[in-house]
Amino acid sequence: MKKETSIATAIGKIILIGEHAVVYGQPALAIPFPETKIKTIINREKGPVSLECYFYKGLFSKAPDRLLGLTTIVREIVSSFNEKLKDFNITIESSILPERGMGSSAAVAVATVKALYDFFNRPLTEEDLFKWSNMSEKIVHGNPSGIDTAIIIGEKPLYYVKGKPFIPFPFELDAYLVVADTGELGETQAAVSAVKKMVDSNPHKVKPLIRQLGNLTRAAMDSIEKGDIVRLGMIMNNAHAILDELGVSNEKLNYFVSVATKNGALGAKLTGGGRGGCMIALAASKEEAEFICKKLILSGAENTWISNMGVDRK
Ligand code: PMV
C-alpha cells in the first residue's frame, strides 16, 4: 500500500577530538548530540515535488546550489527505485543550526534517506544509508572523512578511522560537556582545503602536527577509558592549540576557549571544521558547566548547551 506520510529523524553530533587529522587517516572521537535533531517529513501530494527547509521553500527543481548535496541524493534515490520525481513534498525541520560543526548536513541527508526509503516502501540497509548520506557530504564538503555520517547513523560514541569499520566505545564519564555557538558560520570546506594546502606546501612542519593530533586522540581515548577527566581536559587544550596553528580556529573561538578555561573548564577546544561554528568545554560538575555557560553567554555566545557525558546519558 502506498504511504501518505513518512517521517524520519537524525540527531546531531559533536567531534570531541581529531577533526581535520581524521581526513589524513588519524583517529577521531565523536559523540552523538541528541540535544539537536533533524526531522524529514515526506507527504504525498499531487504535482511537482516541493521542498521546505532552513534555506529554501519552493519547487524542488528550483532549489539553490547550496542544497545540491540533498537534491542530488533525492534524485538518485528516486531514480534507483524506478519511481518518478513527483507527487510528494519534503519538509525538513531542524534544531541543528547549519554550518556550526554539529553535523547538520549529514543529519539532513540521513533523515531524508530514511524517510524516502520508508515513503517508497524499500528496505534500507546501513550500507545504503551510509553510501547515500556520504554522497551528499561529498558534494557539500568536498573530501569528507565520513565521520559525520558514521556517528549520525550509529548514534553511539565512535572511535573513527577513515575507511575502517566504526568502533563504538563505552562513554561513561563523570563530567559535562559545554557546547557554545559562536553564532558565526563554520567554514568546513574552506578549512579542510586550507589545511590541505598547508600539508602540500609545508609537509615537514604540518604532517607532524597532524600526527600529534592523532596521538592526542589516542591519549583522549585512554583518558576516557580510565575516567581521567583532568587529563582529557588538558588534551583538549593541546588539540585546540594545534588546530589554531593549522589556521582553522578564529578570534572568537580562541576567545571562547579562554573564557571557558578561565572560568573553571578542565579544557576547551573548537569542534568540527572550525573558523566559526561551536566550541566545546569540559566541566567537572553540572554547576560548573552552568557557570561556564553563563560566562560564555555574557561573552557573546549565541547559544549554549550542556551535555551529560555520564552513565545516565541518553
Ligand atoms: O564541520 P563538521 O562538523 O562537518 O566537521 C568536519 C570535520 C573535519 O574533520 C574537519 C572534516 C571531515 O570530513 O572529517
Side-chain angles (χ1 to χ4, degrees), residues 13 15 18-23 28 99-106 137 141 143-148 160 186-189 191-192 271-274:
K13 68 96 220 289
I15 298 181
E19 52 276 270
H20 287 288
V22 70
V23 174
E99 293 168 51
R100 297 301 212 283
M102 288 181 174
S104 76
S105 57
E137 283 293 276
H141 288 316
N143 177 27
S145 65
I147 189 168
D148 285 13
Y160 180 85
E187 292 176 12
T188 301
Q189 192 169 10
V192 170
T271 180

Side-chain angles (χ1 to χ4, degrees), residues 185-197:
L185 297 186
E187 292 176 12
T188 301
Q189 192 169 10
V192 170
S193 317
V195 173
K196 176 151 188 356
K197 252 189 211 143

Side-chain angles (χ1 to χ4, degrees), residues 15-23 27-28 213 217 239 243 269-273:
I15 298 181
L16 265 189
I17 191 161
E19 52 276 270
H20 287 288
V22 70
V23 174
L213 278 175
T217 298
L243 290 166
K269 61 182 279 297
L270 66 83
T271 180

Side-chain angles (χ1 to χ4, degrees), residues 5-306:
T5 301
S6 288
I7 300 177
T9 59
I11 58 175
K13 68 96 220 289
I14 293 290
I15 298 181
L16 265 189
I17 191 161
E19 52 276 270
H20 287 288
V22 70
V23 174
Y24 299 89
Q26 296 293 338
L29 297 179
I31 56 168
F33 192 56
E35 287 75 4
T36 54
K37 260 197 181 74
I38 295 282
K39 186 198 248 183
T40 297
I41 305 147
I42 302 183
N43 278 310
R44 194 165 295 285
E45 188 183 37
K46 272 253 162 277
V49 175
S50 64
L51 174 63
E52 182 173 345
C53 63
Y54 185 85
F55 290 115
Y56 176 73
K57 182 174 177 184
L59 281 178
F60 179 87
S61 58
K62 300 238 159 66
D65 276 358
R66 70 179 314 159
L67 296 174
L68 202 60
L70 175 72
T71 52
T72 303
I73 58 167
V74 171
R75 278 181 215 286
E76 295 270 336
I77 290 171
V78 172
S79 141
S80 78
F81 293 160
N82 286 321
E83 298 279 356
K84 296 230 159 53
L85 196 64
K86 61 175 198 169
D87 297 337
F88 63 91
N89 62 48
I90 304 175
T91 305
I92 299 169
E93 293 172 2
S94 170
S95 67
I96 312 181
L97 285 165
E99 293 168 51
R100 297 301 212 283
M102 288 181 174
S104 76
S105 57
V108 163
V110 168
T112 307
V113 173
K114 283 186 188 166
L116 271 175
Y117 269 72
D118 184 65
F119 187 72
F120 287 103
N121 269 318
R122 301 297 204 279
L124 176 60
T125 61
E126 198 155 282
E127 219 181 341
D128 279 338
L129 182 54
F130 188 81
K131 179 186 86 179
W132 293 121
S133 307
N134 220 35
M135 181 186 286
S136 166
E137 283 293 276
K138 274 192 183 130
I139 297 167
V140 177
H141 288 316
N143 177 27
S145 65
I147 189 168
D148 285 13
T149 315
I151 179 82
I152 287 166
I153 290 175
E155 296 192 359
K156 289 206 169 63
L158 209 63
Y159 178 90
Y160 180 85
V161 179
K162 191 175 174 178
K164 297 262 167 70
F166 316 149
I167 307 176
F169 65 91
F171 192 59
E172 292 181 0
L173 274 188
D174 190 10
Y176 291 79
L177 194 72
V178 168
V179 181
D181 182 5
T182 59
E184 293 171 356
L185 297 186
E187 292 176 12
T188 301
Q189 192 169 10
V192 170
S193 317
V195 173
K196 176 151 188 356
K197 252 189 211 143
M198 281 177 84
V199 171
D200 292 344
S201 64
N202 198 353
H204 296 302
K205 180 171 175 237
V206 181
K207 280 189 178 166
L209 293 178
I210 303 272
R211 277 198 297 274
Q212 272 181 49
L213 278 175
N215 290 338
L216 288 172
T217 298
R218 283 180 273 271
M221 184 75 235
D222 182 60
S223 309
I224 289 168
E225 276 164 1
K226 294 185 172 132
D228 189 344
I229 56 173
V230 173
R231 180 166 170 242
L232 180 61
M234 283 185 317
I235 290 168
M236 287 167 70
N237 288 338
N238 291 342
H240 183 78
I242 297 178
L243 290 166
D244 192 21
E245 214 177 324
L246 287 174
V248 297
S249 188
N250 70 6
E251 226 174 89
K252 202 157 184 189
L253 283 164
N254 289 349
Y255 176 53
F256 279 12
V257 164
S258 72
V259 170
T261 46
K262 273 188 199 136
N263 287 285
L266 298 168
K269 61 182 279 297
L270 66 83
T271 180
R275 294 190 167 180
C278 289
M279 181 223 61
I280 54 173
L282 191 67
S285 70
K286 184 121 190 258
E287 292 67 35
E288 279 171 280
E290 278 163 359
F291 182 71
I292 294 164
C293 285
K294 213 164 86 193
K295 292 289 182 184
L296 285 164
I297 292 282
L298 287 172
S299 308
E302 193 109 307
N303 205 349
T304 58
W305 298 261
I306 296 174

